Amino acid sequence: MNQSEFLAATLRNPANQIIAEKLFELALPDAWIVSGCLVQTVWNVLTGRATGYGINDYDVFYFDPDTSWEAEDKIIRTLAERFAGRGIAVEARNQARVHLWYPEKHGLPYPELRCSTQGIDRFLTKNTQIGIRRTQEAYEVYAPNGFDDVVDMIVRPNPGPNFSAVNYEAKARRWQRRWRAWTRTCWARDGHAAGNGRRFCALRRHW
């Protein structure tokens, strides 16, 4: 799957296209649709399901230097109002302020970011390190790992300072229940036995 094919698949879900158009209209700074809602749409296209199947909400990242909770809450409320009538649940997060609340909430370090794509880089799984946004001419896609894991339905962990094996395993199990065309494969981090005895696992599509 190349970038054009990925984008075409994600836009078969009307919600993704509606959100992208509205974010562009609102001129929300450095705004992207990100993560699961994109990847899961592609999975649904590949497996012949309704494009919105299994998608609980649609994640939006933006980057506003105003790191107050009041400013973020205003954006959250604005987007909720804009999409409520269409039955689309949007979860928006200002990436400029994640470092202010993430360590206390999750007990893991999180650096101060400089743009929204740095937040995408820190996702729990490599296949969801993807974002799209509407531009003046067309669409921009951010996908540092490409699309192979997406089309092959591999959920590969993204180890890093804020990685949680517990959260990864919970997410992998949840996705496996919803998209059952997978088998589970595991390996130790970096090809070596993990010091805490855990192994890092992925889900691979089985046709």
Side-chain angles (χ1 to χ4, degrees), residues 123-144:
F123 280 146
L124 194 61
T125 63
K126 289 183 176 292
N127 65 315
T128 55
Q129 290 178 284
I130 291 181
I132 68 169
R133 63 179 173 186
R134 187 77 169 85
T135 66
Q136 190 70 44
E137 294 78 21
Y139 282 86
E140 183 178 354
V141 178
Y142 180 75

Side-chain angles (χ1 to χ4, degrees), residues 128-180:
T128 55
Q129 290 178 284
I130 291 181
I132 68 169
R133 63 179 173 186
R134 187 77 169 85
T135 66
Q136 190 70 44
E137 294 78 21
Y139 282 86
E140 183 178 354
V141 178
Y142 180 75
N145 299 311
F147 309 99
D148 288 348
D149 278 4
V150 178
V151 72
D152 290 334
M153 297 178 75
I154 298 173
V155 180
R156 198 184 308 274
N158 180 33
N162 60 288
F163 178 78
S164 165
V166 172
N167 291 342
Y168 166 77
E169 289 166 3
K171 185 182 290 288
R173 284 194 298 270
R174 184 170 68 252
W175 288 350
Q176 188 174 38
R177 286 195 299 269
R178 291 183 178 179
W179 290 272
R180 294 181 178 274

Side-chain angles (χ1 to χ4, degrees), residues 13-168:
N13 182 344
N16 287 329
Q17 188 164 5
I18 290 168
I19 295 168
E21 295 287 348
K22 185 58 66 176
L23 294 177
F24 179 72
E25 176 187 318
L26 293 172
L28 199 61
D30 196 18
W32 299 77
I33 308 171
V34 303
S35 190
C37 63
L38 304 176
V39 172
Q40 290 161 15
T41 293
V42 175
W43 290 345
N44 290 335
V45 170
L46 291 172
T47 57
R49 293 176 166 90
T51 55
Y53 168 81
I55 301 175
N56 294 330
D57 53 33
Y58 294 77
D59 292 321
V60 169
F61 279 7
Y62 68 100
F63 196 91
D64 183 354
D66 184 345
T67 59
S68 68
W69 161 244
E70 291 76 14
E72 184 177 54
D73 187 54
K74 181 179 179 181
I75 295 298
I76 291 171
R77 292 176 182 274
T78 296
L79 294 180
E81 291 169 1
R82 296 296 178 99
F83 298 119
R86 297 179 178 269
I88 301 172
V90 172
E91 183 170 296
R93 291 292 179 266
N94 181 10
Q95 296 305 289
R97 69 181 306 272
V98 176
H99 66 285
L100 299 177
W101 55 263
Y102 192 99
E104 181 177 353
K105 180 176 181 179
H106 297 287
L108 294 167
Y110 205 93
E112 183 174 354
L113 305 182
R114 301 301 177 190
C115 61
S116 292
T117 54
Q118 289 185 346
I120 296 173
D121 292 339
R122 285 163 176 77
F123 280 146
L124 194 61
T125 63
K126 289 183 176 292
N127 65 315
T128 55
Q129 290 178 284
I130 291 181
I132 68 169
R133 63 179 173 186
R134 187 77 169 85
T135 66
Q136 190 70 44
E137 294 78 21
Y139 282 86
E140 183 178 354
V141 178
Y142 180 75
N145 299 311
F147 309 99
D148 288 348
D149 278 4
V150 178
V151 72
D152 290 334
M153 297 178 75
I154 298 173
V155 180
R156 198 184 308 274
N158 180 33
N162 60 288
F163 178 78
S164 165
V166 172
N167 291 342
Y168 166 77

